[in-house]
C-alpha cells in the first residue's frame, strides 16, 4: 500500500496515521520526494483500507500488492513524463532521441556532434567522461574538466547532456553540468550510488545490468525513488546471454513488460544492445517500434578513430539515415 500524505500535514495527524498502521501491524517507510510525501507500507494481511483512507492528512491511498511499490503502475496508472528541464520531458509525449559519442574526447569532437544534433532536431547529447573499462589500461575518460567543456558547448547550442556517473563522490561535482545522470550497466545494482542519486533533484537514467533481470532493474529504480527522486528513466541496453554473434542480446521484450509493470519511461540503447555498427539502425528502429519512449545511440565523425566503442558507433551519414527512418517509424505508430 502507498499512502500519499498532504504536504502540510500536522505532526498530530501524522502520528495518528502511524498509530493506525502500527495497530494493524503494518510496517511503513516514509518517503519524501521533490513531488510528494508518501508512506510506503508492507502489509502482510488483509484489512479495510478505509480505516486509513478516512484519516485527516491522507491525500490518496492505493493498494500495491507487488514487490515494487513506488515505481509500480499499480500505484500510478498513467505514464510518467520525466521533466529534463527547459520544457522538455522524456515519456508520455513522443519519442526522445539521445545521441553522441561513447566518450567525450575533445572540444572539436563535441562541436562536430552538436552540429549534427542541431541539424536533425535532436536535443540531448550523450558522452561519457567517466568510462567503466574492462581493462584498467584502456582510456577512462576526460573527467570533470571534459564535462565542463561538454557543458559549455552544449549550453551554447541549446543541447542537454546525459553522462555516466560512476560513484557517489562524483554526483555533486557533476551536478551543475548534467541534465540526466546515467547509471551504467556495471553499476546497475550499486545500491549506495542509487541511494545518493535519490537525494538529488535531477533525472537519472538507469541501465539494466549486464546480467540483470527486469525485476532487478525495477528494484534499482525503487532505490532512487525511495530516497527522494521521482525522476527515473529505465534503459534496456542488452543483456549477456549464451549468444556470441552480437556483443549483447537486446531484449526488446523488456520494453512492453517494463511499461506494463511500471509508470516510468523506457529508453532503448541499440548501440550497446547489438554492438555491431552496421546493425545498429535496424535495432534502433525495432526499439522505436517496440514502443520505447526514447533511444540512445552512439555517433562519431570518424567511428573507426573513436576512443571507445567505435565498432558500434554510427558515422554522421548513418546517423542521418537513422533519423530519417526513425521519424518514419514514429509516424506510423499511433
Ligand atoms: C555507455 O553508455 O557508453 C556505457 C558504458 O554503457 P553500458 O553501461 O550500458 O555498458
Ligand atoms: Mn559505449
Amino acid at each position: 500500500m502507498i499512502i500519499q500524505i498532504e504536504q502540510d500535514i500536522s505532526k498530530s495527524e501524522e502520528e495518528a496515521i502511524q498509530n493506525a498502521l502500527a495497530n494493524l501491524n503494518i510496517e511503513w517507510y516514509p518517503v519524501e520526494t521533490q513531488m510528494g510525501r508518501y508512506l510506503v507500507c508492507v502489509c502482510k494481511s488483509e484489512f479495510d483500507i478505509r480505516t486509513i483512507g478516512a484519516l485527516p492528512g491522507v491525500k490518496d491511498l492505493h493498494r500495491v500488492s507487488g514487490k515494487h511499490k513506488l515505481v509500480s503502475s499499480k500505484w500510478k496508472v498513467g505514464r510518467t513524463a520525466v521533466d529534463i528541464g527547459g520544457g522538455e520531458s522524456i515519456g508520455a509525449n513522443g519519442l526522445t532521441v539521445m545521441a553522441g559519442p561513447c566518450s567525450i574526447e575533445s572540444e572539436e569532437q563535441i562541436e562536430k556532434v552538436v552540429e549534427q544534433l542541431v541539424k536533425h532536431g535532436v536535443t540531448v547529447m550523450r558522452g561519457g567522461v567517466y568510462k567503466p573499462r574492462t581493462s584498467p589500461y584502456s582510456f577512462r575518460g576526460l573527467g570533470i574538466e571534459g564535462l565542463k567543456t561538454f557543458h559549455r558547448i552544449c549550453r551554447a547550442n541549446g543541447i542537454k547532456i546525459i553522462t555516466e556517473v560512476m560513484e557517489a563522490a562524483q554526483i555533486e561535482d557533476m551536478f551543475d553540468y548534467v541534465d540526466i545522470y546515467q547509471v551504467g550497466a556495471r553499476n546497475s545494482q550499486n545500491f549506495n550510488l542509487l541511494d545518493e542519486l535519490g537525494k538529488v533533484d535531477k533525472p537519472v537514467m538507469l541501465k539494466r545490468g549486464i546480467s540483470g533481470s527486469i525485476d532487478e532493474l525495477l528494484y534499482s529504480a525503487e532505490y532512487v525513488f525511495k530516497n527522494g527522486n521521482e525522476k527515473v528513466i529505465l534503459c534496456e541496453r542488452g543483456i549477456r546471454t549464451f549468444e556470441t554473434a552480437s556483443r549483447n542480446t537486446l531484449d526488446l521484450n523488456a520494453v512492453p513488460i517494463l511499461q506494463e509493470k511500471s509508470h516510468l519511461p523506457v529508453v532503448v540503447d541499440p548501440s550497446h544492445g547489438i554492438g555491431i555498427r552496421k546493425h545498429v539502425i535496424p535495432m534502433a528502429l525495432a526499439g522505436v517500434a517496440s514502443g520505447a519512449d526514447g533511444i540512445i545511440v552512439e555517433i562519431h565523425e570518424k567511428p573507426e578513430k573513436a576512443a571507445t566503442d567505435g565498432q558500434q558507433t554510427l558515422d554522421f551519414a548513418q546517423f542521418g539515415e537513422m533519423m530519417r527512418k526513425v521519424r518514419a517509424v514514429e509516424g506510423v505508430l499511433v
Side-chain angles (χ1 to χ4, degrees):
M1 176 172 68
I2 296 178
I3 306 169
Q4 185 165 12
I5 57 180
E6 300 285 0
Q7 212 69 33
D8 57 355
I9 190 170
S10 71
K11 201 85 211 118
S12 60
E13 285 170 341
E14 209 173 333
E15 276 166 15
I17 299 172
Q18 291 166 3
N19 289 338
L21 293 172
N23 288 338
L24 289 163
N25 229 346
I26 294 172
E27 279 175 50
W28 50 270
Y29 301 85
V31 171
E32 186 164 355
T33 73
Q34 67 271 76
M35 291 168 209
R37 293 183 62 187
Y38 314 92
L39 296 174
V40 178
C41 304
V42 181
C43 322
K44 299 202 172 70
S45 51
E46 285 296 308
F47 67 96
D48 185 350
I49 197 162
R50 288 169 298 185
T51 54
I52 305 292
L55 294 172
V58 173
K59 190 173 174 188
D60 203 0
L61 176 145
H62 286 274
R63 216 181 262 287
V64 184
S65 52
K67 302 182 278 191
H68 310 105
K69 303 289 182 193
L70 293 157
V71 304
S72 170
S73 50
K74 286 190 183 145
W75 166 54
K76 201 167 165 196
V77 178
R79 312 243 12 107
T80 290
V82 171
D83 181 356
I84 59 167
E88 285 186 62
S89 54
I90 299 183
N93 55 357
L95 183 83
T96 301
V97 177
M98 299 180 263
C102 179
S103 302
I104 294 300
E105 296 163 10
S106 67
E107 203 161 323
E108 191 198 352
Q109 176 221 30
I110 302 165
E111 277 163 358
K112 293 249 164 77
V113 171
V114 163
E115 202 179 294
Q116 292 298 311
L117 300 187
V118 171
K119 180 174 162 191
H120 296 288
V122 170
T123 55
V124 185
M125 179 163 163
R126 62 147 289 143
V129 295
Y130 296 111
K131 297 304 301 178
R133 303 309 305 280
T134 303
S135 162
Y137 305 111
S138 305
F139 174 66
R140 296 175 72 183
L142 296 181
I144 194 74
E145 290 311 315
L147 180 58
K148 288 180 184 172
T149 309
F150 186 11
H151 178 261
R152 177 171 47 76
I153 300 170
C154 282
R155 272 296 173 274
N157 290 279
I159 302 280
K160 296 191 166 33
I161 288 177
I162 176 166
T163 192
E164 178 163 355
V165 57
M166 285 186 59
E167 57 169 325
Q170 293 163 349
I171 297 173
E172 203 180 317
D173 288 349
M174 293 171 74
F175 189 85
D176 288 338
Y177 309 103
V178 300
D179 299 291
I180 308 169
Y181 287 104
Q182 172 177 320
V183 175
R186 291 154 194 81
N187 265 318
S188 197
Q189 287 191 306
N190 180 340
F191 301 119
N192 294 325
L193 176 62
L194 300 177
D195 277 344
E196 295 308 312
L197 286 167
K199 295 172 190 162
V200 294
D201 184 13
K202 190 84 80 170
V204 175
M205 186 180 84
L206 294 180
K207 286 197 161 193
R208 181 173 175 183
I210 291 174
S211 302
S213 68
I214 289 174
D215 270 353
E216 284 167 339
L217 177 60
L218 289 171
Y219 275 126
S220 296
E222 189 87 23
Y223 266 88
V224 179
F225 206 132
K226 179 190 177 281
N227 279 281
N229 189 357
E230 297 199 18
K231 297 177 183 170
V232 186
I233 301 155
L234 308 169
C235 179
E236 165 58 42
R237 50 77 72 198
I239 47 174
R240 184 168 285 174
T241 67
F242 54 81
E243 184 55 73
T244 55
S246 51
R247 182 179 181 186
N248 290 297
T249 297
L250 185 63
D251 177 18
L252 290 178
N253 295 346
V255 177
I257 293 175
L258 285 168
Q259 288 175 339
E260 183 196 352
K261 288 182 175 240
S262 172
H263 54 86
L264 298 173
V266 180
V267 166
V268 167
D269 175 348
S271 307
H272 294 85
I274 192 157
I276 304 164
R277 187 186 310 146
K278 64 179 175 220
H279 299 318
V280 168
I281 297 177
M283 296 317 290
L285 301 178
V288 176
S290 74
D293 299 285
I295 53 172
I296 182 162
V297 184
E298 290 181 335
I299 67 168
H300 193 286
E301 188 194 13
K302 296 193 176 85
E304 63 289 350
K305 296 238 164 70
T308 55
D309 281 352
Q311 81 289 347
Q312 64 192 32
T313 298
L314 302 182
D315 64 25
F316 292 163
Q318 289 169 319
F319 175 52
E321 180 192 338
M322 184 197 82
M323 287 309 298
R324 184 172 50 76
K325 292 180 172 171
V326 159
R327 297 299 179 214
V329 172
E330 218 189 335
V332 296
L333 299 173
V334 196

